[in-house]
Amino acid sequence: MDSQTSQSSQPSLPSPSPHTFQVDLRGLVDLLSHHLYSSPKVYLRELLQNAVDAITARRAADPDAPALVRLFAEPDALRVEDSGVGLTEADVHDLLATIGRSSKRAEGLQEARSDFLGQFGIGLLACFVVAERIRVVSRSARTPDAAPVEWTAADDGSYTVRTLPDDARPEPGTTVHLVARAGAAEWLAEDRVLALARDFGSLLPYDVRVGEEAVTDLPAPWDRPYPSPAARRVALGRHCHDLFGFTPLDAIELDVPLAGIRGVAYVLPSAVSPAQRAGHRVHLKGMLLTERAEQLLPDWAFFVRCVLDTDSLRPTASREALYEDETLAAVREALGERIRSWLTGLAAGDPERLAAFLAVHHLGVKSLARHDREMLRTMLPWLPFETTDGRLSLEEFARRHPVVHFTRTVEEYRQVAPIASAQGVGVINGGYTYDSELVEALPSVRPGTVVAELDADTVTAHLDAVDPAVELALAGFLAAARAKLDPLGCDVVLRAFHPLSVPALHLDDRAARHEQARAQAEEEADDLWAGILGSLRGEAPRARLVLNHLSPLIRRIGSLGEPELIGTAVESLYGQALLMAQRPLRPADSALLNRAFIGLLEWATNGEGDR
């Protein structure tokens, strides 16, 4: 008998009986309050959301239906009334008693789903974060003959449903009663409810009030008419100060009709780090979704804070953040283009405001210009750079110098800037964030521009050579100086240059510094590592100490007859040149400085004693 026949002859097993998941409501409420939601305050957003969605559903069938939401704070309780579509007893059993079921899935509402704020059906469950008991009284507008119905639930998961007399709720709509749980009464206090309602619902399209206090404030500040552009800037500046706590440098209109976005981006009045994550306020169909949206704008636009309303972006399950999808990516690109257009407009028509902006936020614009050649071309006359001619734009610097020299580090710039400037060599400090990348990109937007990195050889080549006879006469002095600095990996050369106040110049480049670091590590390593590091020894150029023959001090030192004093003087010149270049000192350099200082003191005191 084969296996197939054997299997078919065995008796079939009975199908297992299905079971229903049991939900621990207390545990689920704890999950919501500690993990899904950032704060208990979201309970009020859920109440407002349910009320607004109910009104939207009723108006889909009856555009003239009333649109009212009223919140009434009571001792340790809260009552929320709306004139929405309401519920029948069947709706209550089907929707409120089933966790995860959304009224937006109800028959007849599916076609209006895009107009609703809520998408996940959590609904009233979130109110258990602050309430121990919830009572809902509702009357259906779609079934006006149905009696009002009452649904009462406790935080232990139990609930009751009953019908009420007609006078319990004469008009269609819903009333929600919350009774505060222990320690949560403050969340239902009138001042807290009013503050939360205004924060969440100031842009809602319906009449929302807490007691007699209006919550909605429409139209939005960016959609209101103003008598003049100046009046608009003042009003938006006041709105920014109330919302974010600062008065902006400028306000940028954010109008993307295809994405259903209207709002404004406020330009920060002070510089911020590009790494600092910006928090933007995003409203979804009028309801505040989040005040910490970080992925709304491109990374380079860190100098603005946005507030906007949208009907196209998707929220996450907690409705406190934006869902990262293709729509959000397209909106991010569109908003970035709007900010880019604002910058271009300033460059074309308002140079004073552009200069004020760049004085604070040039780093953000440089970040953008790295990847956007058109932006670099537009900003060339405006972006400031540190140069040997002062703070200039790349455009102005390139007009002054046939070759645009730059250094990649601040230390290299400090080494060569005084000498290069005296020799008429223009140098740009490319050591700051993005600067060297922008200088190297200059030929792509300014054809014919020659850009070259400035290294020690280039600087030395621009210094005047000394007459061979003079250098021969100083051969003994130079030999002693080279012997003294050779253990430090430094050569000595003699040149003539200005200014005369600089007796010696220390020059190196990255290759020389790498070789110095390798040699130092080799000295400090054990035999095995010393052998490995020794095998990595390269032919990199060594650092050099350039002695200025025009300096009276160098001429006096060159005429000394004491070899020991010459050595001490050369060490002093070396140390002083390092300090002028603001280079970090190695342990050997620090020891040399101490030794030279003590040596000079000894020579000075001995000489005083002999006189």
Side-chain angles (χ1 to χ4, degrees), residues 30-31 40 75 187 201 204 219 222 281 350 441-442 479 537 539 576:
D30 180 73
L31 179 67
W187 292 102
L204 289 174
W222 50 85
R281 289 177 64 93
D350 200 338
L442 187 57
R537 183 182 296 111
E539 297 299 326
Q576 187 260 355

Side-chain angles (χ1 to χ4, degrees), residues 436-453:
S436 62
E437 297 174 70
L438 294 176
V439 174
E440 289 182 297
L442 187 57
S444 67
V445 295
R446 198 177 189 275
T449 303
V450 179
V451 173
E453 183 177 355

Side-chain angles (χ1 to χ4, degrees), residues 308-387:
L308 56 83
D309 188 27
T310 177
D311 58 16
S312 64
L313 298 178
R314 290 176 56 195
T316 58
S318 66
R319 292 192 286 278
E320 293 185 284
L322 297 172
Y323 186 82
E324 184 68 52
D325 58 9
E326 292 181 357
T327 301
L328 179 56
V331 166
R332 183 163 49 236
E333 182 177 349
L335 295 180
E337 180 58 36
R338 184 65 193 86
I339 297 172
R340 184 186 290 108
S341 298
W342 169 78
L343 282 171
T344 304
L346 287 187
D350 200 338
E352 290 185 2
R353 288 171 65 198
L354 178 64
F357 167 75
L358 289 177
V360 178
H361 296 298
H362 58 274
L363 196 59
V365 180
K366 286 181 177 180
S367 174
L368 170 60
R370 286 187 306 153
H371 307 292
D372 189 326
R373 289 293 178 262
E374 188 58 38
M375 180 56 64
L376 177 58
R377 184 179 290 106
T378 301
M379 291 292 117
L380 270 181
W382 308 103
L383 286 175
F385 288 77
E386 181 180 357
T387 79

Side-chain angles (χ1 to χ4, degrees), residues 60 105-112 142:
R105 300 186 180 93
E107 183 180 356
L109 300 185
Q110 186 67 34
E111 66 276 6
R142 290 181 295 162

Side-chain angles (χ1 to χ4, degrees), residues 196-204 215-218 281 283 286-288:
L196 292 178
R198 283 176 171 166
D199 196 37
F200 283 120
S202 63
L203 300 184
L204 289 174
V215 168
T216 51
D217 186 20
L218 295 177
R281 289 177 64 93
H283 296 256
M287 181 74 76
L288 178 66

Side-chain angles (χ1 to χ4, degrees), residues 64-101:
D64 297 324
L68 306 173
V69 180
R70 297 291 183 265
L71 297 88
F72 301 94
E74 302 167 352
D76 296 339
L78 179 66
R79 184 173 87 254
V80 182
E81 299 180 355
D82 69 66
S83 59
V85 69
L87 301 171
T88 64
E89 182 178 3
D91 293 334
V92 168
H93 283 290
D94 189 39
L95 302 175
L96 298 186
T98 304
I99 293 174
R101 179 71 61 85

